Amino acid sequence: DPVQKPAAVKRLIQFYEDAMTKDDKNREGPNVKPLLDQIVPPLTEVAQSGQLDQRTQGLLLSKLADMRHPTAVPALVKALEDYRPDDKRADQYDTDMGDVVRNLGIMKSKEASMALFNVFKNLRASWPKAQNKGFYRVLHDALLEIADPAWEDELIKLLDRPIKSLKQKFQRDVINEVYWQTTAAELLGILKSKKAVVPLFKVVLSGFKYNMHTTAISALIKIGKPSIDAGVKLLNGEDADLIEYAKKEYIRAAEDKDQKVDKKLEEAAGNAYKQYAALIVANIGRNECTDPMLKIIDEGDEVTKAILARELPKLPADPKVTEAFKKVWSDTNMSLQIPPGENAKEALSGAVANFFDKDLTQWLGESVLDLKGDDAPYVQSSALEVLMKLATKSQWDLVEKISNIAITYPKPTTLGKAYEKELKASKEAIDKCGDDPACWHKELTASANQKQETQIIGIKAAYMVAALEGDAAAGKLADDIPNIQNDAIRFAAASAIDRLSPKGNNAIADKLQKLVDD
């Protein structure tokens, strides 16, 4: 009876929700599973019949998806195939389709693979329906759950699409392309697609795609050795096609900003690939990447040396890497600027923290004491930040010497004044814990240190644990992370884990993945 049908659908859905309450939301529970086996087939038949009004149809599809019963999948796939999101205001049916997509992703439904992918290709992230309840993100997550190899060629085509302009009037187009291409890069990384290596390199080599760089590099890391081979080849200047592509994109980006293309800019464009290649190779961070990086640094001009040296902490710990970094730091002129307008020596000083090395920290502290010039206080302040994080109890006198210069010499400075509270908190923490890793682990997770005004103690704790325990600290830090509530402290702990796991660590990766999944 068509008149009774909507009420019957809603009543059966109510049976399902009551059973879920009884079984504590367990779809395999004694009340839920027998009910689903009984009600899903007729509900699926009704969903495919086209006899319901849109509101009831949307509710039914949403709840069928939530039931996660394999019998319902064909009806959900048909709904996806018929779904046409557009640039109009979202309604309840659009929200219901978001539930369908989410649950198909959770089910890892291969049967829904192409239907989901076609929705993705046709969806503009700038549309209201894409923004509704984060639909574009829900779809992205579902695609990542399924990651069908059949999508590979289409994903690569998406990466190859240029972004025409970053000017304001093109922002909707930019939003759409970033969504498509970022998702494509993630999926190709999951698929470990060898065919995607060059297209992913092109993403990183384009200034128009700067907000996709991190995702593309992550994908290249997952792909592994083919990425290393291509990165080393580019770093050595042996890939003419990619070098030319980087040059053209550099010039095109300058023109998009209305910059004059002169001889100096063209020269910079010709060398643009080096910085990007180094960024990729350093982030891949395998032992095979070390010698090519050091070779390019040794042959580069002063700007290239500084830019690449800043990336050296991403390589595995190695005495020759440390020595190369120290040489570049020492040779770098105090007034040298590097993109995007940073003082090179100040930036390099800050990068020392990323080595998590107390001996290199000692060297930096001693090296900045005698610096002179207008830029010296900035470099000394940068070094002071590093020492506050990494200085051991025996090194604290060096912290005080630098702080006296950065804060009071030749007169009290506004720059240094900002560090007074952090210095006091760090000193109290050093006096309390000294060089005892167990004490620092407690400070890392202590609730009192999770506030912004006291986070310096938790941040220092992450650095101290890494510096004092070395590689053995990685697993312990992974155990600490669930108990860290402060984002800055969690970032410091995660950075330490990364540094202390140069060859990867499946056990730690599983722990971190479980946190993400939860």
Side-chain angles (χ1 to χ4, degrees), residues 428-446 449 457-458 460-462 464-465 468-469 476 480:
E428 290 172 355
I430 273 284
D431 290 340
K432 179 179 179 180
C433 289
D435 296 340
D436 178 12
C439 179
W440 286 114
H441 275 290
K442 290 179 182 177
E443 293 300 311
L444 181 65
T445 57
N449 297 334
I457 300 172
K460 180 167 180 60
M464 292 302 294
V465 165
L468 294 169
E469 292 189 313
K476 297 176 186 176
D480 287 333

Side-chain angles (χ1 to χ4, degrees), residues 361-417:
T361 302
Q362 173 83 23
W363 168 84
L364 176 68
E366 292 171 351
S367 300
V368 300
L369 285 175
D370 297 324
L371 292 179
K372 296 288 187 290
D374 292 342
D375 293 312
Y378 296 96
V379 179
Q380 289 159 339
S381 294
S382 184
L384 180 60
E385 287 188 36
V386 174
L387 267 83
M388 277 195 291
K389 295 170 183 173
L390 276 162
T392 61
K393 192 173 181 69
S394 63
Q395 293 172 332
W396 198 258
D397 62 328
L398 193 53
V399 176
E400 292 181 342
K401 287 179 184 176
I402 298 171
S403 67
N404 287 338
I405 296 170
I407 293 174
T408 63
Y409 180 79
K411 58 184 180 180
T413 64
T414 306
L415 189 67
K417 196 81 175 170

Side-chain angles (χ1 to χ4, degrees), residues 1-8:
D1 182 348
V3 176
Q4 298 289 343
K5 207 178 287 277

Side-chain angles (χ1 to χ4, degrees), residues 198-499:
V198 170
L200 285 165
F201 265 74
K202 286 185 173 182
V203 170
V204 184
L205 291 171
S206 173
F208 289 90
K209 300 184 179 184
Y210 66 91
N211 45 8
M212 309 177 208
H213 287 180
T214 301
T215 307
I217 290 172
S218 295
L220 288 164
I221 291 169
K222 290 178 182 178
I223 293 168
K225 192 172 186 308
S227 302
I228 297 172
D229 294 343
V232 170
K233 183 179 177 183
L234 179 58
L235 201 55
N236 288 331
E238 297 167 358
D239 192 322
D241 290 341
L242 283 180
I243 291 171
E244 183 63 21
Y245 175 83
K247 180 179 179 180
K248 287 180 178 177
E249 285 294 276
Y250 189 96
I251 291 172
R252 198 165 69 85
E255 291 173 335
D256 192 53
K257 297 173 186 173
D258 300 321
Q259 295 178 4
K260 182 182 177 183
V261 179
D262 53 19
K263 187 176 180 180
K264 185 177 180 182
L265 191 140
E266 286 187 344
E267 185 179 337
N271 291 313
Y273 77 92
K274 292 180 182 178
Q275 296 172 25
Y276 290 121
L279 189 66
I280 295 167
V281 170
N283 275 280
I284 290 172
R286 304 278 184 144
N287 286 318
E288 307 98 293
C289 303
T290 297
D291 288 340
M293 278 283 287
L294 297 185
K295 179 174 181 288
I296 295 297
I297 288 174
D298 190 49
E299 296 173 353
D301 58 31
E302 59 180 2
V303 172
T304 301
K305 287 178 187 287
I307 291 171
L308 302 194
R310 186 176 52 183
E311 305 298 324
L312 287 178
K314 296 172 181 174
L315 294 173
D318 188 320
K320 63 186 179 184
V321 172
T322 305
E323 289 306 311
F325 178 88
K326 288 162 73 171
K327 184 176 189 312
V328 174
W329 188 95
S330 300
D331 292 346
T332 297
N333 189 287
M334 284 283 291
S335 60
L336 181 67
Q337 296 285 306
I338 57 175
E342 287 184 283
N343 178 284
K345 213 171 186 82
E346 181 184 354
L348 288 171
S349 298
V352 170
N354 300 325
F355 282 94
F356 292 88
D357 182 336
K358 58 183 185 295
D359 294 332
L360 186 61
T361 302
Q362 173 83 23
W363 168 84
L364 176 68
E366 292 171 351
S367 300
V368 300
L369 285 175
D370 297 324
L371 292 179
K372 296 288 187 290
D374 292 342
D375 293 312
Y378 296 96
V379 179
Q380 289 159 339
S381 294
S382 184
L384 180 60
E385 287 188 36
V386 174
L387 267 83
M388 277 195 291
K389 295 170 183 173
L390 276 162
T392 61
K393 192 173 181 69
S394 63
Q395 293 172 332
W396 198 258
D397 62 328
L398 193 53
V399 176
E400 292 181 342
K401 287 179 184 176
I402 298 171
S403 67
N404 287 338
I405 296 170
I407 293 174
T408 63
Y409 180 79
K411 58 184 180 180
T413 64
T414 306
L415 189 67
K417 196 81 175 170
Y419 297 119
E420 287 184 339
K421 287 183 181 178
E422 292 185 346
L423 277 166
K424 184 174 182 293
S426 297
K427 178 65 166 67
E428 290 172 355
I430 273 284
D431 290 340
K432 179 179 179 180
C433 289
D435 296 340
D436 178 12
C439 179
W440 286 114
H441 275 290
K442 290 179 182 177
E443 293 300 311
L444 181 65
T445 57
S447 57
N449 297 334
Q450 306 303 309
K451 303 171 186 174
Q452 187 172 356
E453 56 269 26
T454 55
Q455 69 182 21
I456 182 60
I457 300 172
I459 292 170
K460 180 167 180 60
Y463 280 87
M464 292 302 294
V465 165
L468 294 169
E469 292 189 313
D471 291 358
K476 297 176 186 176
L477 286 168
D479 291 334
D480 287 333
I481 281 185
N483 301 313
I484 300 172
Q485 303 305 315
N486 179 287
D487 289 343
I489 300 172
R490 192 185 295 113
F491 179 78
S495 299
I497 291 169
D498 188 35
R499 175 66 179 169

Side-chain angles (χ1 to χ4, degrees), residues 128-146:
K129 289 187 179 182
Q131 301 290 325
N132 176 53
K133 306 289 185 183
F135 180 85
Y136 74 98
R137 187 72 200 178
V138 171
L139 179 57
H140 159 278
D141 293 348
L143 294 172
L144 263 57
E145 290 288 349
I146 296 170

